[in-house]
Amino acid sequence: MADTRPIGMFDSGVGGLTVLKEFRKQNPQENIIYLGDTKSFPYGSKSKESIIELTKKGIDFLLEKNVKAIVIACGTATSQALEEVQKQYKIPIIGIIDSTVQYIKEQTKLRKVGIIATTGTIRSKGWQNKIHSQIPDAVLSYKACPLLAPMAEEGWTENEIAKLTIQEYLKGFYDIDCLILGCTHYPLFKKCIQEELGKKVEIINTGEKLAKDMQKILINEQKQNESTEEGNFEIYLTDTETNFLRVASKLLKDTEIKEKIKKADVE
Ligand code: DGL
């Protein structure tokens, strides 16, 4: 049976839209409700306790919108809150780590693995522990890049400042096979990162890998939307006084995105 209810997606800001974009490419018929917790941005510098609390509030908001499954489209919330919320809620909830680790495991050429993410994500060791347990012969290099998510919210992803910042953060990452963009804001810097590391390093956008897994979950749980029409999406923000609109219109190449943005009251 077709399940036309929307999928809920959650991030602290504009970053999760990189996941939404990939998800829509692979699952165009699904409806989506996106929540950007812009009022509490950035998540990357907050404690694990705060991240769990904010993630639960986000999930409760999405559940009120009658979503059928939830994507934690945020590396910081995935690494620190996913386990906890998966225990507490019955609805399928997936984060950005597992699908990417599974992908790397299957690509036997990718063993020198770089990870860049927020300070909270790197501190939590969410990526490191998962990779060590799944791919024991992987050699990891990792770095927290706290300036990148705020720069992405500002729309500074391709200018000189972005180039210099990327250069500085990526020192020491030249001998790797792949680089995981462990924060969903970072695909916005993909061009700069690829230029810096060269073509032989595979840059991994976690949203691409997650989109396929979510599709499998929907099929297994018979929750797929079988409509032949393109699904729609709505965006809720906890604070609308941001650059979100500008960055989102550029990323999604959608000039009518303004009509899709609403203020969310998350208590
Ligand atoms: N997009 C987020 C992540 O994937 C959060 C960035 C932030 O709020 O600091 O980690």
Side-chain angles (χ1 to χ4, degrees):
M1 267 265 290
D3 189 341
T4 56
R5 288 177 300 159
I7 301 218
M9 288 196 181
F10 171 65
D11 182 42
S12 58
V14 81
L17 290 183
T18 63
V19 177
L20 179 143
K21 186 176 173 185
E22 294 309 322
F23 185 81
R24 276 174 59 80
K25 274 191 209 158
Q26 297 180 36
N27 306 271
Q29 75 290 359
E30 295 293 344
N31 299 308
I32 298 174
I33 304 238
Y34 182 91
L35 174 64
D37 189 10
T38 39
K39 191 172 168 185
S40 303
F41 177 87
Y43 276 15
S45 51
K46 293 189 168 53
S47 68
K48 178 171 176 161
E49 291 67 36
S50 302
I51 298 299
I52 294 177
E53 194 185 312
L54 293 167
T55 306
K56 282 191 200 161
K57 283 187 183 165
I59 292 176
D60 291 339
F61 174 85
L62 291 169
L63 287 176
E64 273 174 30
K65 302 279 172 212
N66 194 28
V67 297
K68 59 184 172 186
I70 290 177
V71 173
I72 307 284
C74 170
T76 310
T78 299
S79 60
Q80 295 176 87
L82 181 67
E83 229 178 85
E84 184 70 25
V85 294
Q86 278 178 333
K87 276 190 231 148
Q88 287 191 23
Y89 294 85
K90 286 207 184 79
I91 188 162
I93 307 179
I94 70 168
I96 67 162
I97 296 182
D98 287 354
S99 319
T100 287
V101 173
Q102 185 56 32
Y103 167 77
I104 295 175
K105 187 176 176 178
E106 286 159 11
Q107 310 300 308
T108 49
K109 297 188 309 289
L110 304 181
R111 286 300 172 262
K112 285 186 264 171
V113 180
I115 308 158
I116 53 171
T118 63
T119 305
T121 300
I122 296 296
R123 185 198 55 222
S124 76
K125 296 201 166 29
W127 282 102
Q128 297 94 309
N129 291 342
K130 187 56 114 195
I131 295 175
H132 282 313
S133 72
Q134 296 291 313
I135 323 169
D137 58 337
V139 180
L140 301 186
S141 356
Y142 43 88
K143 182 151 200 147
C145 306
L147 292 179
L148 294 187
M151 282 170 62
E153 292 284 321
E154 196 57 37
W156 288 9
T157 51
E158 287 175 14
N159 62 10
E160 279 312 303
I161 298 172
K163 281 183 198 158
L164 288 171
T165 312
I166 295 284
Q167 236 172 47
E168 184 62 32
Y169 278 142
L170 293 184
K171 276 181 188 160
F173 275 93
Y174 296 98
D175 184 28
I176 51 173
D177 303 317
C178 64
L179 180 72
I180 300 173
L181 305 180
C183 165
T184 54
H185 281 72
Y186 298 178
L188 290 156
F189 297 93
K190 187 163 180 203
K191 198 165 156 251
C192 272
I193 294 174
Q194 191 82 70
E195 268 168 25
E196 186 57 27
L197 294 179
K199 285 226 168 63
K200 59 176 198 348
V201 176
E202 181 172 336
I203 312 291
I204 304 184
N205 177 347
T206 60
E208 268 172 44
K209 314 298 171 211
L210 173 150
K212 283 202 192 92
D213 277 1
M214 192 61 182
Q215 196 175 37
K216 281 187 216 147
I217 293 175
L218 293 176
I219 296 172
N220 284 345
E221 303 225 354
Q222 297 181 329
K223 285 194 159 114
Q224 237 193 349
N225 186 346
E226 287 161 1
S227 163
T228 48
E229 293 186 4
E230 193 181 333
N232 50 42
F233 65 95
E234 285 173 41
I235 296 175
Y236 288 86
L237 300 179
T238 50
D239 189 335
T240 47
E241 292 297 314
T242 69
N243 278 323
F244 189 99
L245 180 61
R246 191 164 51 84
V247 181
S249 335
K250 190 173 164 208
L251 172 69
L252 300 177
K253 300 191 176 59
D254 185 340
T255 46
E256 270 143 46
I257 203 156
K258 196 169 179 197
E259 279 81 75
K260 300 189 173 97
I261 299 183
K262 298 189 183 104
K263 172 90 173 60
D265 287 315
V266 175
E267 283 318 310

